[in-house]
Amino acid sequence: MDLSCTDEEEEFRARLKAWLTRELPGLPPKPDPLDWPARRAYDCGWQRRLYDAGYADVQWDASPTQRLIFLEETELAGAPYVGANFVGLLHAGPTIAAEGTPEQRARWLPPVLRGDEVWCQGFSEPGAGSDLASLRTRAVRDGDAYVVTGQKIWTSHAEVADWCELLVRTDPDAPSRHRGITWLAMPMDAPGITVRPLRTLAGSAEFAEVFLDEVRVPVENRVGEENDGWRVTMVTLSFERGTAFVGEVVACRRLLGELARTARKNGTWDDPVLRRRLGRLSAEFQALWRIVQANVSEAQATGGVPGAGGSVFKLHYSHARQELYEAAAAVLGPDALDLGRDWTLDRLSSLSYTIAAGTSQIQRNIVAERILGLPKGR
Amino acid sequence: MDFRLTEDQRALRRGVRDLLEGRFDREALRAAVDAGGALDRALWRELGAAGFFALRVPEEDGGVGLGLPEAVLVFEEAGRALLPGPLVATHMAAGVVPGAAEGDVVVTAVEEGLVPWLDEADAVVGDASGAVPMRSVDPLTPLHRVPGNAGATALEAVLLTAAEQVGSAERTTEAAVSHAREREQFGQVIGGFQAVKHLCAGMLVRTELARAAVRAASLTVDPVEIAGAKLLADEAATGNARDCLQVHGGMGFTWEADVHLHLKRAWVRAELRLPAARAEEAVAAGL
Ligand SMILES: Cc1cc2nc3c(=O)[nH]c(=O)nc-3n(C[C@H](O)[C@H](O)[C@H](O)COP(=O)(O)OP(=O)(O)OC[C@H]3O[C@@H](n4cnc5c(N)ncnc54)[C@H](O)[C@@H]3O)c2cc1C
């Protein structure tokens, strides 16, 4: 066990901090959170700055420690969130890096790093949410293309995406439903795609329904083998649960600090019950950050793909983050009802954390079955 | 940065586990309960000989010369085994109170207005005057109350107590899981029922959260981090013991099952060093 950083890593941290101090004041104002095209432009602009300064590939190529330093320092400095680049940078990209051919890596990874291309995730369907393997969107081989027909749902920022990591059924007669699935990279401007935005409870069109009507996707866009998509999907999900939320833990620690300052100013800090509640949350986020370090160390030692430990993290993180906003509401009082405050919108968004990327119930099944070895059952 | 245990650390943990399984197995545990709070001096000396107390005493002073991270691993094992006695107080006294390091002398300490094992101890750190015996809830930890709320506990003692809690939380998770894999109802093992599965998953999550916090705090020795680690470890040990009891059904409520021993000891440890209210305040003050 060793939590210390090498001289080289500390140098990296110092360089990054200095760069953030110079760069952040010059950023354009944050866009309206309900305006996705503006958010895409803003998020990609930030990604481009990271790229030009040589920090973009930290997400993939650097040592795990460097990556954690990057996430820690950017979040502590209050740098923009990955936002529209979430899927590309945090799970589609890592999946292609782990499972793609050299040509696929060369085609798709650099534009993500440069902030030129945005990805979305087309996994869920109206009839296949928690039970993802029951998906029905069909892909039929026709020469050098798959012809895809079906419907996806809850596709986050589909409206502004260039690519979609798409799960399709290529063999409806496979002996097990897990075996007939294939992972494709679908260009979002292909003919036959209709995106219909869905309004979230926060009022924004953050996700969408995606209708697919005989969309032609080149066979060369297939990552992994035909009918081997479930295995590739497990890689994607392990990144989604294992590492994608890592930076947000630091953001939570920063938010908690902000909350404590507000509480000290408005007098709510004098309430010992509330104060202790904030103390408990602080201990939890600190411990979550330590779990991240443990998971990343483990993944590093076993080949780079995070294991089921990601579910342990995701379960507690999503719960603690919701608790954070409940505590915030207690500190803010009537202000917590003001939609003009970031806190209020974020509180609404946080309601999705125990659902998106696999519900808490599903994560508990995974922990019980894959880590504790309990039988599958009812 | 590498948060995994080193080879030496794994070997140390394995060694301590083997020692405790050989010398303080379930039979010995139940015998100790029946003996009603008498300390096994022979075992104490064996622990001393194995370096349990002298672990952090420098080599030039005759100790093992290891650090807090190693001590945390050893105390996790002690917590798993439900090893009785003022382990943390004697460990803390090694190198200070003669004979403590070797296990020849049993040292206890006054903490939070309580003194465990007062009648069995050869030395007491703190002022135990006016101590009044109580009927301890934990059959393996005799307790006295002392007037006033004596003294701040050393950070390391808080952390080692937290490590014991983590070990206990790990053990009750294992017990719940192994029972859930064997006990059948409605024609299947109860571990196949989601309601049971989800209890077990929750136990693992609490354990891992606490373990990560305790091990990190053993490296940083940061007071706020130690307070947070104790908080989460107390919650893991007490919460897991309760859920373990639930998973065992009626059997869990019996004296025969070990679950209650874990729960009662977890309650004692939670109260003895930096209880929740003060731990939460300590972490909040760091915000
Ligand atoms: C904000 C947001 C963004 C999202 N973005 C995307 C995206 O970009 N791409 C994408 O593909 N998907 C996305 N999703 C979809 C998300 O992955 C699913 O909503 C999620 O997996 C749950 O599926 P469902 O909505 O069909 O709910 P259901 O599967 O119908 O679940 C309903 C309830 O039943 C419970 N349940 C279901 N099965 C079980 C079981 N076996 N045991 C116990 N309880 C069970 C669930 O826990 C839940 O409480 C997003 C969702 C949200 C909320």
Side-chain angles (χ1 to χ4, degrees):
Chain A
M1 279 192 302
D2 179 12
L3 293 176
S4 62
C5 295
T6 62
D7 288 349
E8 196 189 326
E9 286 159 350
E10 286 302 350
E11 243 167 62
F12 171 76
R13 186 195 297 275
R15 215 169 356 107
L16 174 62
K17 267 174 126 158
W19 181 76
L20 287 165
T21 314
R22 283 197 307 276
E23 200 74 4
L24 291 180
L27 276 188
K30 271 209 248 168
D32 177 351
L34 305 186
D35 179 351
W36 266 97
R39 280 173 73 175
R40 174 189 163 134
Y42 182 85
D43 296 341
C44 290
W46 170 244
Q47 186 57 31
R48 181 69 202 207
R49 283 177 191 238
L50 286 172
Y51 180 84
D52 288 342
Y55 291 115
D57 58 351
V58 171
Q59 296 279 10
W60 298 336
D61 286 340
S63 76
T65 308
Q66 258 190 8
R67 184 159 178 255
L68 290 183
I69 291 173
F70 175 80
L71 292 170
E72 191 168 23
E73 294 305 331
T74 47
E75 281 295 350
L76 285 177
Y81 179 60
V82 285
N85 292 308
F86 185 92
V87 173
L89 271 175
L90 300 178
H91 54 87
T95 303
I96 292 166
E99 297 290 328
T101 61
E103 295 75 37
Q104 291 175 332
R105 290 202 285 271
R107 166 62 191 91
W108 285 311
L109 301 187
V112 169
L113 293 180
R114 283 195 304 264
D116 287 344
E117 289 182 353
V118 165
W119 283 67
C120 64
Q121 179 189 37
F123 282 14
S124 307
E125 296 181 8
S130 298
D131 185 14
L132 184 56
S134 68
L135 64 92
R136 300 231 300 264
T137 292
R138 280 291 308 273
V140 181
R141 184 85 174 250
D142 177 27
D144 57 1
Y146 289 103
V147 180
V148 181
T149 299
Q151 185 195 342
K152 295 290 169 179
I153 198 167
W154 318 129
T155 317
S156 300
H157 39 80
E159 264 185 298
V160 296
D162 303 292
W163 292 94
C164 177
E165 47 171 8
L166 186 75
L167 291 188
V168 292
R169 184 162 303 283
T170 31
D171 182 3
D173 304 320
S176 113
R177 46 198 199 122
H178 295 91
R179 267 190 246 160
I181 293 171
T182 299
W183 200 107
L184 298 177
M186 176 176 76
M188 287 299 283
D189 59 359
I193 300 178
T194 309
V195 175
R196 202 174 72 86
L198 290 165
R199 260 180 109 190
T200 71
L201 50 67
S204 65
E206 183 159 326
F207 47 30
E209 289 178 293
V210 178
F211 298 92
L212 305 164
D213 181 16
E214 304 203 345
V215 180
R216 292 184 75 85
V217 179
V219 170
E220 65 195 32
N221 287 18
R222 186 187 70 216
V223 174
E225 294 304 311
E226 186 170 297
N227 298 330
D228 191 29
W230 188 254
R231 192 186 55 77
V232 183
T233 303
M234 289 303 112
V235 173
T236 309
L237 292 182
S238 70
F239 283 113
E240 185 172 10
R241 291 160 189 169
T243 48
F245 298 105
V246 163
E248 295 187 41
V249 177
V250 188
C252 287
R253 285 160 69 200
R254 189 166 49 77
L255 286 174
L256 204 53
E258 253 176 53
L259 204 55
R261 280 193 293 281
T262 306
R264 285 193 172 99
K265 263 192 231 139
N266 75 10
T268 45
W269 189 257
D270 297 335
D271 172 0
V273 175
L274 185 55
R275 199 168 60 225
R276 286 179 51 186
R277 194 167 160 195
L278 296 180
R280 168 166 297 259
L281 276 167
S282 179
E284 289 180 29
F285 284 116
Q286 177 71 10
L288 279 166
W289 180 243
R290 297 313 190 183
I291 284 208
V292 163
Q293 292 177 323
N295 284 349
V296 167
S297 298
E298 199 57 47
Q300 171 69 3
T302 54
V305 178
S311 290
V312 173
F313 168 79
K314 203 246 173 197
L315 257 174
H316 198 84
Y317 164 73
S318 51
H319 175 74
R321 179 129 196 196
Q322 288 176 357
E323 279 294 301
L324 169 62
Y325 290 110
E326 292 317 302
V331 170
L332 298 173
D335 275 357
L337 301 177
D338 180 357
L339 262 183
R341 301 196 55 144
D342 286 353
W343 280 102
T344 314
L345 268 182
D346 291 345
R347 183 187 186 196
L348 288 171
S349 299
S350 80
L351 297 171
S352 75
Y353 295 165
T354 44
I355 299 170
T359 70
S360 290
Q361 285 71 37
I362 296 302
Q363 304 301 329
R364 286 192 191 97
N365 287 350
I366 292 172
V367 169
E369 288 163 14
R370 295 205 208 138
I371 302 181
L372 296 176
L374 288 169
K376 285 192 191 272
R378 285 173 278 174
Chain B
M1 180 211 75
D2 187 354
F3 209 172
R4 289 168 315 138
L5 300 184
T6 63
E7 214 20 78
D8 286 348
Q9 288 169 335
R10 278 174 220 274
L12 172 69
R13 190 179 53 168
R14 222 176 302 122
V16 178
R17 187 170 299 185
D18 288 348
L19 170 82
L20 293 181
E21 276 170 3
R23 192 53 186 78
F24 194 71
D25 59 3
R26 174 151 201 280
E27 226 170 285
L29 169 69
R30 300 309 300 210
V33 172
D34 294 341
L39 205 58
D40 180 347
R41 291 287 182 148
L43 173 58
W44 205 256
R45 270 188 293 273
E46 278 175 58
L47 291 173
F52 195 96
F53 303 117
L55 197 75
R56 291 188 303 132
V57 175
E59 272 174 296
E60 53 271 31
D61 300 329
V64 185
L66 291 174
L68 197 55
E70 285 77 22
V72 153
L73 296 178
V74 168
F75 276 81
E76 279 181 28
E77 292 305 316
R80 267 184 75 90
L82 263 178
L83 196 61
L87 296 161
V88 173
T90 303
H91 175 97
M92 294 297 294
V96 182
V97 176
E102 296 76 18
D104 293 333
V105 163
V106 175
V107 185
T108 189
V110 184
E111 270 149 337
E112 310 292 342
L114 293 165
V115 208
W117 295 99
L118 182 59
D119 294 337
E120 293 282 326
D122 306 309
V124 183
V125 177
D127 180 8
S129 49
V132 182
M134 46 194 270
R135 277 184 61 204
S136 173
V137 65
D138 176 9
L140 276 179
T141 312
L143 288 170
H144 280 69
R145 261 193 137 328
V146 292
N149 240 3
T153 306
L155 282 178
E156 286 99 334
V158 173
L159 188 66
L160 294 177
T161 308
E164 288 184 285
Q165 298 284 58
V166 169
S168 172
E170 178 183 69
R171 187 72 200 88
T172 48
T173 306
E174 285 172 11
V177 169
S178 81
H179 184 72
R181 287 160 93 153
E182 278 164 19
R183 170 73 172 165
E184 287 190 22
Q185 290 290 281
F186 299 97
Q188 68 167 77
V189 295
I190 59 169
F193 296 121
Q194 247 184 16
V196 173
K197 233 183 231 183
H198 287 191
L199 278 176
C200 295
M203 293 170 78
L204 181 89
V205 171
R206 280 198 290 256
T207 309
E208 291 305 320
L209 198 69
R211 192 201 308 278
V214 166
R215 290 194 180 168
S218 77
L219 295 166
T220 64
V221 203
D222 174 76
V224 170
E225 204 160 350
I226 289 178
K230 176 65 166 40
L231 187 63
L232 299 177
D234 286 347
E235 203 157 272
T238 55
N240 282 13
R242 294 178 72 114
D243 286 353
C244 179
L245 197 154
Q246 181 68 22
V247 170
H248 279 79
M251 200 205 279
F253 194 69
T254 65
W255 187 264
E256 268 321 295
D258 295 339
V259 187
H260 70 107
L261 299 175
H262 277 280
L263 179 59
K264 291 164 178 173
R265 186 77 62 83
W267 280 345
V268 170
R269 291 192 201 107
E271 208 53 53
L272 207 51
R273 295 188 183 94
L274 201 64
R278 288 226 314 281
E280 283 172 343
E281 289 284 10
V283 184
L287 272 172

